Each structure stands twice: as C-alpha cells, then as structure tokens.
Amino acid sequence: SIPGRTAGEASGTAMAKVAAEVGQGRALSVARATLLVFREGLEAVLIFAAIIASFLGANKMRRKPVVAGALAAFGAAVITWFVAQAILTVASPLGPKLEAITGFIAIAVLLIVLNWFVHNIYWTQWIGRHHRRRRELLTGTGTGVTIGLFALGFTAVYREGFETVLFLQTLQLQAGTATVLEGVAIGLLGTIIVGVITFWLHHKLPYKKMLVFTGILVGVVLVVMTGGTALT
C-alpha cells in the first residue's frame, strides 16, 4: 500500500502512466512510418523529375505513358502491401520469430540504402540506367516505345514503393495497422506537397539537404529497429 493514498488513486496513477507510455510509443511509431514513407517518396519524386525533365517540345506528349507508369507503380505498391499482409497472416504461427525475420530483412535493406558506397551505385547507376533507356526510347516510334516509356515510369516509382512496404511490415507487427497507416498518410501528404512544388509550381527545393537530413533520421530509425529486432 502507498501511505496517504487509496488503492483506487494508486491504480488510477498507474493506469495513467501506462496510457502515457502507450501514447508515446504510438506517436513514435507514427513518426517512424511517416519518415520512411516521406524519405522513399522524396527519392521517387527526384528520380521521376530527373527522367521527365528533358521531355520538352515535340517530346512533351511522351510524358503521358511515363506518368501512367508511375501511377500504375503506386497502385502496384498498394497491392504489394496487401500481398505482404497476406503472407504475414499465413506466417503468423511463427509468433515473435516473424517479427524478428521481418525486422532483420528491413535492417539489411536499410543498411544497403544508407551505405555510402552502395548509395552511389543506388543513385548514380540507377538514375543513369533510366537516362540511357530514356534516350533510346526517344529515338524510336510505335507501340513498343509507348510500352517502354510506361515501364520507365513504373520502375522509377515501384522500387521505392516496394522498399517502403518492406520497411513497414516489421513496424506493422509492432504497432498495428492503424498506427502505420496514419504515418503512411502523413508521409504521403508530405510527398504530394514536394511533388506539387516540383512539378506544378516548378520550384527547386534543397533536395540534397533534405536527403541528408532525412538520411540522418532514417539512421536513427535503423538504430531503433536494430535494437527492437535484437530484443525480439
């Protein structure tokens, strides 16, 4: 017993403390989901902007299949989320092992994305490959070119969407679907704002600084994710 306090007061205080801790944990999970979605969304916007930047003059009409491919990639990423959830449901008998497995995979991919050497390959060669393919397609005509431009837009965006879905699975197992989706909504809102500023208002943001800053924050998320996975 606690001197000077009733059992009800002590119980109420304990419950309030637990509720506060739960609220803080949920807020952190939302922030992590928001950061991961916004970071990947920022990369998708930059890659997509780099691809269509030269579609000017007579080639301006060729933007349409590229945009269609990007929209299809977003839809495919949503489908990938449901596929991943179905797989996790089937694997749910693994219990805590499943969380550890998804966490390990997410950590491995995050390490690859954040590593400076691989990041050079990840950015320079990935964007360079898209530019080479774009130049090849602009010299041709016909249905094959349209399909190629569609594929160009699709691959530019879907890779980021796939990585996002992968990162969010372990967070979904830890914090629940509603919490993760809240973070996804906020992250997508931030991505849309960046996209509007980039494509419609034609303003240039300090993308490099934004990538560096979000990269640091993702590094913090990586540390937390590593600790949580090790604990599991």
Side-chain angles (χ1 to χ4, degrees):
S1 63
I2 302 175
R5 298 176 65 184
T6 65
E9 290 174 339
S11 177
T13 301
M15 290 178 65
K17 184 177 180 181
V18 171
E21 291 176 350
V22 171
Q24 291 175 357
R26 186 178 186 279
L28 288 173
S29 296
V30 170
R32 288 166 61 189
T34 299
L35 174 62
L36 290 171
V37 172
F38 179 71
R39 166 73 182 200
E40 294 297 315
L42 178 60
E43 291 183 355
V45 168
L46 289 178
I47 295 172
F48 188 68
I51 291 173
I52 67 170
S54 61
F55 282 78
L56 303 173
N59 290 320
K60 193 171 183 179
M61 293 300 295
R62 294 193 174 188
R63 289 184 177 185
K64 290 184 178 179
V66 181
V67 173
L71 293 175
F74 181 81
V78 174
I79 294 173
T80 303
W81 166 271
F82 288 107
V83 171
Q85 288 294 294
I87 293 173
L88 292 182
T89 300
V90 172
S92 59
L94 290 174
K97 292 180 181 179
L98 179 60
E99 185 178 328
I101 292 169
T102 57
F104 180 79
I105 295 172
I107 289 168
V109 176
L110 272 175
L111 284 171
I112 292 172
V113 171
L114 291 178
N115 184 274
W116 74 268
F117 175 73
V118 180
H119 205 65
N120 180 53
I121 299 174
Y122 180 87
W123 269 101
T124 306
Q125 295 190 18
W126 179 246
I127 295 179
R129 188 180 301 118
H130 279 77
H131 279 311
R132 289 191 297 272
R133 182 58 180 159
R134 172 183 54 78
R135 287 192 293 267
E136 292 172 1
L137 290 169
L138 288 179
T139 60
T141 57
T143 305
V145 172
T146 302
I147 295 173
L149 291 171
F150 179 90
L152 193 67
F154 184 90
T155 55
V157 174
Y158 182 69
R159 173 171 169 168
E160 312 303 328
F162 179 81
E163 289 177 356
T164 302
V165 170
L166 185 63
F167 296 150
L168 292 178
Q169 295 314 302
T170 183
L171 191 58
Q172 188 271 339
L173 289 173
Q174 295 172 352
T177 302
T179 300
V180 171
L181 291 181
E182 183 178 343
V184 169
I186 298 172
L188 284 177
L189 178 61
T191 302
I192 291 171
I193 292 173
V194 171
V196 168
I197 293 173
T198 302
F199 297 111
W200 279 274
L201 300 182
H202 302 290
H203 290 306
K204 188 175 181 180
L205 295 170
Y207 297 113
K208 185 175 181 180
K209 292 181 179 179
M210 293 172 69
L211 285 171
V212 171
F213 179 68
T214 55
I216 293 171
L217 294 180
V218 170
V220 175
V221 172
L222 175 61
V223 172
V224 175
M225 190 178 294
T226 303
T229 302
L231 179 62
T232 301

